[in-house]
Amino acid sequence: MRKKNIGLTLMASLVFAFLIIPLFIVVVTAFGESASIQFPIKGFSLQWFGEVFKTKSFIRGMKTSLLISIWATVASIIVGVPAAYALARGTVKRKAFLKNVFLSPTFVPGIVIGFALFQFLTIKLQMKIITSLFMGHFLISLPYIIRVVGSSLEQFDFSVEEAAWTLGCTKSKSFIKIVLPNISSGIFASFMLAFINSFNNIPVSMFLSGPGVQTLPIALMNHIEYNYDPTVSAMSVMLMLCTILLMWVIEKTLGLATIA
C-alpha cells in the first residue's frame, strides 16, 4: 500500500510539473527585453504588457469576446435556469432524455460543433458573423447553467415553495421570490463558469469568426502565426490572472452557498 501511495504521489508530481513548467515559461517570457520569445530571458522589461493595449487586433478581439460572452451567458441564464428548474421539479416528460440534450454540447468535440455550426449558420442560413458567434457561444454556455443550477436545485427544499402555493402565492411569484433567492449563488457561479468557457473558447470561435470579427483567442492565434513576440506571453499572463481571479470568486461563492 505504501509503495502504491508513493507511486501515485510521484505520478501526480510529474503531471503537476508537466503543467506548471510550460506556464512558468510563458510567464517568464512575458517580462523579457528581446523582441522574440526567448527562455531564459535576457533582461527585464514590462514593455510587452504595454504592447498588448497597442495591438489593434487584441483590442478588437477583447471587445468582441466580451460582447459575445456576456450576451451568450445572459441568454443561457434566461433559458437555462427555468429549464434546470423544470428538470429538478420533474414537471416534464422524458426528463433524462431532455437533460442529456441540454448537456450534449459537453459530449461532442468542440471542433465538430464548430464545423457543424459553420455549415448550418454561416453557409446554409448565411447569418452575420456576430450572430453566428452569439448562437455558437450560447450553445456551449447553456450546459454549464443546467449543470450548476441543477446542482443548487437538488439542495433546495421544494416543500417551502409548495407551502407558499397553499398560502395563495402563484407559481411564478413563488419561483421569483422563493426559489431564485435560494439558488442565487449557484446562478452566479454558473454565470461565471459559462462566461469563462465562452471567453476562452477556441474550436467554435475558430469556425465562426471572420474578417474583422474575431474573438480574443483567435486574434492571439493569428498574431503568433506572423509575430512570434512576447506580446502573446503578456496577453496570456493577463488572461491567466483574470481566470484565476474569477475561479477564486466562484469558489468563494459556492463555499458560501454550501454554508448557507
Side-chain angles (χ1 to χ4, degrees):
M1 179 63 73
R2 187 173 181 179
K3 289 183 178 179
K4 185 177 181 180
N5 290 336
I6 293 174
L8 289 173
T9 302
L10 180 60
M11 186 180 298
S13 300
L14 290 174
V15 171
F16 182 75
F18 188 74
L19 174 64
I20 292 300
I21 291 175
L23 293 178
F24 173 75
I25 293 174
V26 170
V27 172
V28 171
T29 54
F31 297 94
E33 284 184 342
S34 175
S36 61
I37 298 177
Q38 294 182 357
F39 184 84
I41 60 174
K42 297 178 180 179
F44 178 86
S45 175
L46 295 174
Q47 64 173 320
W48 303 110
F49 290 91
E51 289 296 324
V52 167
F53 299 99
K54 295 178 183 179
T55 306
K56 293 182 179 180
S57 60
F58 288 176
I59 300 302
R60 287 196 300 266
M62 177 71 75
K63 291 179 179 178
T64 301
S65 286
L66 286 173
L67 177 67
I68 293 297
S69 298
I70 290 174
W71 281 109
T73 308
V74 168
S76 64
I77 286 286
I78 294 173
V79 174
V81 172
Y85 172 78
L87 291 171
R89 290 286 292 175
T91 57
V92 293
K93 295 180 180 180
R94 305 185 70 180
K95 174 180 173 181
F97 171 76
L98 289 175
K99 187 174 182 179
N100 287 331
V101 170
F102 281 121
L103 297 179
S104 60
T106 61
F107 308 147
V108 181
I111 195 168
V112 176
I113 295 175
F115 180 66
L117 291 176
F118 172 75
Q119 290 283 350
F120 180 65
L121 301 178
T122 306
I123 302 300
K124 182 67 176 178
L125 300 182
Q126 296 184 349
M127 284 187 177
K128 292 182 178 180
I129 296 173
I130 196 73
T131 306
S132 297
L133 277 170
F134 166 76
M135 295 294 292
H137 281 246
F138 165 74
L139 184 66
I140 62 175
S141 298
L142 188 59
Y144 290 88
I145 310 301
I146 299 293
R147 182 168 291 171
V148 178
V149 174
S151 297
S152 296
L153 285 167
E154 288 177 0
Q155 302 175 19
F156 176 69
D157 185 2
F158 286 105
S159 63
V160 177
E161 183 188 27
E162 292 169 358
W165 295 348
T166 61
L167 295 174
C169 187
T170 63
K171 290 187 176 181
S172 58
K173 286 185 177 180
S174 64
F175 176 73
I176 295 172
K177 294 183 178 181
I178 297 175
V179 178
L180 288 183
N182 280 279
I183 63 170
S184 58
S185 295
I187 294 174
F188 175 75
S190 68
F191 180 93
M192 300 296 281
L193 283 171
F195 175 83
I196 292 172
N197 176 70
S198 174
F199 192 91
N200 295 327
N201 177 268
I202 290 179
V204 173
S205 299
M206 179 176 63
F207 280 98
L208 300 181
S209 293
V213 184
Q214 297 177 342
T215 60
L216 183 57
I218 304 305
L220 282 169
M221 290 177 61
N222 291 336
H223 180 88
I224 201 171
E225 185 176 355
Y226 302 102
N227 303 279
Y228 194 68
D229 59 52
T231 309
V232 177
S233 296
M235 186 74 252
S236 299
V237 170
M238 295 168 66
L239 288 175
M240 280 192 288
L241 290 175
C242 290
T243 302
I244 291 171
L245 177 61
L246 290 176
M247 293 303 295
W248 179 81
V249 171
I250 292 170
E251 183 180 353
K252 290 296 181 181
T253 302
L254 291 177
L256 291 174
T258 303
I259 293 173

